[in-house]
Amino acid sequence: VGEIAGRRVAFLPRHGRGHRILPHELNFRANVFAMKALGVEWILSVSAVGSLKERYEPLHVVVPDQFIDRTQQRKSTFFGNGLVAHVAFAHPFCRNLSKVMAEACTEAGATHHVGGTYVCMEGPQFSTLAESELIGLAPLAAFLAVADHAGAPSEDPVERRLAAAAT
């Protein structure tokens, strides 16, 4: 926890100190709970990703608005063990934080793209060429933007209120 430009911020290296925790080993629920306990209102997740479109070049910033979770081994909710809830997840990213991110990119002169679908693969390996080609050939390929194995927003409403991701 510290300050940047007069604002209180909290930083959490998602893969632990020394980058030693694999994507499927990350305890997203504990990380979100810790941020909530610190009073964090927005979580900005930054990832190095692979582009699924030629127009998204290295160093471009993508602020996605949709998400496809291709993971299988991760817990993705605070619910369970007797607590049942069904949560709308049509808009998985916080529109307010996405707008702030796009404005910050414009102000910084960064080439950025607003909208697009973030595809989260299992990891720790990246997609094989065949998987990338399959994703690129899928009927919904026109909507896909980037693929990675680190981001995984939960359907939990507390997490959704707290978590907004920009990649």
Side-chain angles (χ1 to χ4, degrees):
V1 178
E3 261 190 36
I4 297 177
R7 288 190 170 246
R8 188 168 178 245
V9 298
F11 175 76
L12 174 69
R14 141 174 70 224
H15 293 285
R17 286 188 187 192
H19 201 86
R20 58 184 172 65
I21 303 171
L22 294 173
H24 69 278
E25 296 174 328
L26 297 174
N27 191 337
F28 292 100
R29 298 179 307 170
N31 290 349
V32 171
F33 182 81
M35 291 292 172
K36 180 172 176 51
L38 289 171
V40 170
E41 295 178 15
W42 285 350
I43 296 175
L44 173 64
S45 172
V46 179
S47 301
V49 301
S51 174
L52 297 171
K53 300 209 173 294
E54 286 186 28
R55 70 176 181 254
Y56 302 135
E57 297 177 18
L59 302 179
H60 285 198
V61 176
V62 177
V63 183
D65 58 357
Q66 285 297 313
F67 186 87
I68 295 175
D69 185 359
R70 302 264 320 184
T71 64
Q72 299 172 11
Q73 298 181 45
R74 305 176 192 186
K75 294 195 182 290
S76 63
T77 181
F78 279 95
F79 300 121
N81 297 322
L83 180 60
V84 177
H86 303 281
V87 180
F89 203 48
H91 303 284
F93 293 97
C94 173
R95 291 178 181 154
N96 292 333
L97 184 54
S98 293
K99 181 179 177 189
V100 168
M101 282 302 306
E103 290 170 357
C105 288
T106 298
E107 186 176 313
T111 301
H112 65 285
H113 308 272
V114 176
T117 300
Y118 177 104
V119 181
C120 186
M121 306 302 283
E122 187 66 65
Q125 76 284 352
F126 292 107
S127 313
T128 65
L129 182 57
E131 289 171 324
S132 294
E133 288 177 354
L134 182 63
I135 290 169
L137 293 173
L140 54 109
F143 303 102
L144 302 180
V146 293
D148 185 29
H149 58 240
S154 167
E155 84 277 2
D156 183 279
V158 174
E159 292 175 72
R160 285 190 59 217
R161 192 180 77 241
L162 280 173
T167 300

